[in-house]
Amino acid sequence: ARLFHNHLTVDAVAPVFGFGTPPFSEVLHRLRLDVFATAAREDVDVVFTNNSAWAGPDGRARFEAFADRAAAAVHAEGGRTVFVRVTAPDAVLAARLADEGRRARGKLVDVARLRELLATHDPSPLHPGDLTVDSAALDPDEAAARIAAVLAATRAS
């Protein structure tokens, strides 16, 4: 599978439209949906990373709506989607913010902001049966192996 990294799409759009503005969201989502649809049509497996703790009013509802649109775009081109919820305890998430790679990639590094997001975050899976992986309980290779096994099983069905 090829990685379609959330932050790279943000980095491509934010300098033109400004992070969080309506045109930013419109172009960002259109870009992502076009990549998903084209990848499905070309039979390219894609892993897309995203955080479901969207800020602002109705963050969870907006995240769900985008996830539904993404799945529909993929399915319309003959592809399949598998949603994986990656979790970790709040203390582990806070400790990870100190990683220099986060700052270098423009990711969240402020513990207070993380706590604000978590205070309003709905951690439930989007769909019944979505895979959940606890990234504090598994090392990255184990987590990847678990996800790969589920993907292989969905391909076989």
Side-chain angles (χ1 to χ4, degrees), residues 17-133:
F17 295 108
F19 184 82
T21 64
F24 166 86
S25 296
E26 175 188 336
V27 172
L28 182 72
H29 293 170
R30 195 168 55 236
L31 168 67
R32 291 172 175 176
L33 293 170
D34 187 46
V35 170
F36 298 151
T38 304
R41 186 171 55 251
E42 297 298 318
D43 200 27
V44 173
D45 291 334
V46 172
V47 172
F48 178 69
T49 61
N50 201 286
N51 176 351
S52 64
W54 286 17
D58 301 319
R60 172 64 183 230
R62 289 183 295 111
F63 176 75
E64 287 177 5
F66 178 75
D68 290 346
R69 288 177 62 204
V74 169
H75 294 170
E77 296 295 341
R80 291 179 317 276
T81 56
V82 175
F83 289 88
V84 179
R85 186 173 148 260
V86 180
T87 65
D90 293 358
V92 171
L93 295 175
R96 289 177 179 169
L97 295 182
D99 183 274
E100 266 311 305
R102 295 189 64 78
R103 186 173 308 285
R105 290 181 185 87
K107 293 183 175 185
L108 177 68
V109 294
D110 181 343
V111 174
R113 180 68 181 128
L114 173 66
R115 289 189 180 122
E116 287 174 16
L117 289 170
L118 291 174
T120 60
H121 178 242
D122 176 353
S124 62
L126 286 178
H127 315 98
D130 283 352
L131 174 62
T132 297
V133 174

